[in-house]
Structures are given as C-alpha cells and as structure tokens.
C-alpha cells in the first residue's frame, strides 16, 4: 500500500501523468512488466533492454510524482482512474487504436479518468457519437436534439466532446430525455471546459460520464483536442456528423472513425450553409452514409435490424405485450393517475388495464400510491 491507495493504483496514476498521451512506449513497457515495475523503472531510469524510447518520452516529467494528489483530486469530485487491468476497461473498442495504421497518429490510452456512474464497457457496447460544428445553426441544433433524444429512447448512450454547438445540444437533449451521455474532454476531469458548460457537465457527471486521459488539473490545449477526437470515435459504435465546415474538429473525428473502421454518418443541410459543407462532401465522396432520422442513425450499428452486436441496451419495457405497453405508456412521467384515466388514455377496457397493471407491478415498472398509479422510479 502507498498511504490510502494500493501501490498498483498509485503506479497507474504516476504512469498516467509521466508522458503526454498517447504514449505507446509506456504502454508496451506496462504490458511487459506490469504497472508497478514499469513505474519504478521509469523513476529510476533503468528500463529493460529494448525499451529505451520510454526514457525520452518521460524525460520531462519522470521526477514529478503527483499520483496521490491526482487520486485525491479525482476522489474529491467522485471520479476514478480506470486502467487497462480493470473489468470495465473497453478493451475491444480501443483495440483498433493500437493497430499499425493508426498507432502512428494516436495509439491506445494507457488509462482513463472517469467522473460519473456510467461504466466505460457499457458505454462502448451501445453508443453513438453525435458531433459537429461549434457554430451550430438553428437547423443543426434542431436535428441534433431530435437525434440525441431519439437515440436515447432506443437505449443508446450518446458520446460527444462537451463543446459549444452541436456537442452541447446533444448532451442537453440526452440529459432532458433521462438517458446516458458521455463527454470526452481535452483537459482534466476536474476542469469545466468550456466554463459556460459547468452546469451541463455536472449533470452529465451525475448520470453519465465525463472521460479524459489527462490527469486532474490538466489544461485544454489545441493538440489535446485532436488527441481527444480519436477517443470519441473509438468509444462509439458509430459516429454521426450533424454539421461540419470545410475544416473542423468534427471532420477530424470523422476521419478517425474511418481509420478505425467504424460506421460514419453525416446529416445533409441547406446547400447554402457553410456549416454543412463538410457533411455534403463526406456524403458525395462516399465516406459517410446519409443520416436523416433516428432510424438511419441506428441502422449504422444495427444494419440488419437486430442481433446482439451494436444493439442498444435492453430497455425495461422490452418483452411487454402490446396491451401492457399501451398501459405503461398511458401513465405520465410525473404524478399518478387512476385506472379510469389510464383506460381512457390507452383505449382499453378497465379489466384489461387491471390485468396489465398487475403484471407491470410485479415487474417493478409501476407502483400504486394512495390509489394512484405511477411509473416506478429507477
């Protein structure tokens, strides 16, 4: 143990800061000797033969050990460090980043700092990225809201970058819909960037996840945004570009999706809109599939309409009969209603409604409070 943290965790925290991510040389060393021995070798400047490049990659920071401070900073905001040895590590989704054709520009992350209850493996198993211009048009905002809330309803997590414009609209729509969204940041998870999104980021952290490979306290920088983009693409089952100019960060994320072999979609916009030029070019060049609604976005990851790979998470109402689903949908999201009101809203006879409510109650989907039926919490 090292103080209140296990020695292996403090080793991972040291390694997460000792080189600017991504650093394939550090990962290779860790994979060979383990985190604890790798951290010791870097501190002592005595790495095994064949790992000399690690010394150059860590030369500027190896003497600065802030592992305890970083773990304390994370704990103070309810965050955690997820490493390659943890059960929730999304190894399969990140694997493509380590392949020869992509590693040169950005390999796998060594570890990820996560703030929020959502697990990385769950996010990667059923998620779609919605990205686009920071200078979003009203049209782009409308389409983003429609797609984000619809995908959330289909059981998908929505991943984006927490920025102004399309990113912010996507995150807000999912939060409003009661779904799960994740923001991948180009700074430490303890920093609200942009500052105007502090309330939004707090909401994301409450129900979803804020993700970064940069340790607490790290400031945003241009090169870190470009590095961040590869994580948005790799953690998502597909990427949809809602708006993108001729040159934009969204186009960079889209390029990463193509490099990683992930489905790419783009939303067409007005031919006069400068913020749709990038989308039109991707569609015209056959680089992206035209996305016009939720169904076409879902089709990117579920082209056959079913199957386990790329499916959205199972919803609690899956498996209900048509009548049970109608009764469930007739109960408002807030407050309670009586059986007569439910019967009227569902267009079903009262005995049918009673039987359906009994089934829904057993399944934990509804509850009766003072003679009024309401949706169960959770």
């Amino acid at each position: 143990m090292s103080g209140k943290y296990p020695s292996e965790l403090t080793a991972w925290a040291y390694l997460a800061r000792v080189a600017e991510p991504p650093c394939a040389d550090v990962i290779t060393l860790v994979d060979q000797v383990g985190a604890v021995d790798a951290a010791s070798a870097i501190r002592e400047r005595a790495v095994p033969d064949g790992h000399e490049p690690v010394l150059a990659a860590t030369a500027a920071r190896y003497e600065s050990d802030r592992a305890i401070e970083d773990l304390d900073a994370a704990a103070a905001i309810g965050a955690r460090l997820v490493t390659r040895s943890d059960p929730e590590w999304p190894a399969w989704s990140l694997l493509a980043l380590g392949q020869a054709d992509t590693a040169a520009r950005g390999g796998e992350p060594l570890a990820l700092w996560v703030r929020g209850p959502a697990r990385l493996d769950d996010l990667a198993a059923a998620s779609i990225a919605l990205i686009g211009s920071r200078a979003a048009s009203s049209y782009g905002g409308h389409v983003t809201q429609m797609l984000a809330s619809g995908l959330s309803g289909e059981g998908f997590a929505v991943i984006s970058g927490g920025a102004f414009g399309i990113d912010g609209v996507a995150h807000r729509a999912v939060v409003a819909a009661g779904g799960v969204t994740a923001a991948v940041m180009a700074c430490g998870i303890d920093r609200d960037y942009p500052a105007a999104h502090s309330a939004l980021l707090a909401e994301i952290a409450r129900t979803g996840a804020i993700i970064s490979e940069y340790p607490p306290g790290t400031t945003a920088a241009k090169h870190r945004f470009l590095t961040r983009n590869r994580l948005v693409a790799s953690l998502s089952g597909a990427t949809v570009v809602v708006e993108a100019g001729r040159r934009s960060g969204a186009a960079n994320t889209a390029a990463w999706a193509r490099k990683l072999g992930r489905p790419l979609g783009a939303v067409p916009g007005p031919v006069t809109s400068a913020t749709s030029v990038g989308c039109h070019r991707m569609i015209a060049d056959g680089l992206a599939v035209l996305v016009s609604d939720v169904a076409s976005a879902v089709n990117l990851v579920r082209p056959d309409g079913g199957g386990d790979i790329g499916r959205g998470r199972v919803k609690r109402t899956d498996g209900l009969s048509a009548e049970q689903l109608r009764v469930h949908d007739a109960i408002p999201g807030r407050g309670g209603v009586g059986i007569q009101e439910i019967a009227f809203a569902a267009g079903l006879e009262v005995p049918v409604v009673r039987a359906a409510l009994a089934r829904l109650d057993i399944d934990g989907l509804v509850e009766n409070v003072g003679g009024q039926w309401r949706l169960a919490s959770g």
Side-chain angles (χ1 to χ4, degrees):
M1 297 285 288
S2 176
K4 54 188 170 180
Y5 301 110
S7 58
E8 184 173 8
L9 183 58
T10 57
W12 279 110
Y14 169 78
L15 293 167
R17 180 182 283 278
V18 76
E20 182 72 12
C23 185
D25 294 324
V26 173
I27 291 175
T28 301
L29 178 61
V30 172
D31 287 346
Q32 179 173 322
V33 304
V36 174
D37 288 346
S40 295
I42 291 172
R43 286 193 195 97
E44 297 166 9
R45 316 310 283 163
V47 298
D49 291 342
H51 291 278
E52 288 77 12
V54 157
L55 299 178
T58 60
R61 302 178 184 172
Y62 78 93
E63 293 181 301
S64 177
D65 188 346
R66 296 185 55 191
I68 300 298
E69 291 89 336
D70 288 343
L71 291 169
D72 282 344
I77 57 173
R80 62 194 183 277
L81 178 62
V82 180
T83 74
R84 297 161 65 82
S85 63
D86 290 325
E88 73 170 284
W89 184 256
W92 180 255
S93 295
L94 298 175
L95 180 64
L97 286 172
Q99 304 305 306
D101 57 341
T102 59
R105 293 185 177 86
E108 298 178 63
L110 173 77
L112 292 170
W113 298 89
V114 182
R115 176 184 168 199
R119 287 175 58 99
L120 292 178
D121 52 351
D122 289 340
L123 288 169
S127 60
I128 292 178
L130 291 182
I131 60 172
S133 173
R134 284 176 169 79
S137 68
S138 58
Y139 164 81
H142 173 75
V143 174
T144 301
Q145 188 172 25
M146 177 266 293
L147 290 175
S149 59
L151 289 171
S152 179
E154 288 294 320
F156 288 93
V158 172
I159 296 180
S160 200
F164 288 127
I166 298 300
D167 290 15
V169 174
H171 291 309
R172 287 193 181 91
V174 176
V175 168
V180 176
T181 185
V184 185
M185 309 298 286
C187 58
I189 52 170
D190 58 337
R191 288 180 171 261
D192 293 331
Y193 187 91
H197 277 182
S198 59
L200 172 60
L201 292 170
E203 276 299 301
I204 294 172
R206 188 176 64 83
T207 57
I210 296 176
I211 304 167
S212 178
E213 63 186 318
Y214 299 103
T218 304
T219 57
K222 184 176 181 180
H223 73 277
R224 290 176 179 145
F225 284 101
L226 295 176
T227 300
R228 176 274 308 271
N229 291 343
R230 83 192 197 290
L231 292 180
V232 174
S234 62
L235 289 171
S236 307
T239 296
V240 176
V241 185
V242 181
E243 285 188 317
R246 194 175 300 276
R247 297 180 63 185
S248 68
N252 178 261
T253 306
W256 269 110
R258 295 196 303 272
K259 290 187 184 85
L260 298 173
R262 303 291 163 80
L264 176 65
V267 175
V271 295
T272 55
S273 173
T275 55
S276 288
V277 170
C279 291
H280 294 160
R281 178 170 293 177
M282 292 177 207
I283 296 170
D285 292 346
L287 302 176
V289 175
L290 189 151
V291 169
S292 59
D293 53 20
V294 174
S296 54
V298 171
N299 197 52
L300 291 172
V301 292
R302 199 190 299 167
D304 58 356
D308 292 331
I309 298 176
R311 286 192 62 183
R313 288 184 296 277
V314 176
K315 294 184 286 186
R316 298 180 71 199
T317 53
D318 286 353
L320 295 181
S321 69
E323 290 174 344
Q324 291 164 358
L325 187 59
R326 284 168 65 178
V327 169
H328 182 273
D329 290 347
I331 301 174
R334 297 176 181 272
V337 289
I339 288 181
Q340 294 288 349
E341 295 171 271
I342 297 173
F344 180 83
L348 296 170
E349 295 181 353
V350 170
V352 176
V353 172
R354 289 186 188 276
L357 286 171
R359 180 73 256 175
L360 294 172
D361 191 13
I362 291 172
D363 290 346
L365 293 170
V366 300
E367 57 188 358
N368 189 291
V369 179
Q372 297 285 294
W373 289 94
R374 64 180 65 206
L375 297 178
S377 58

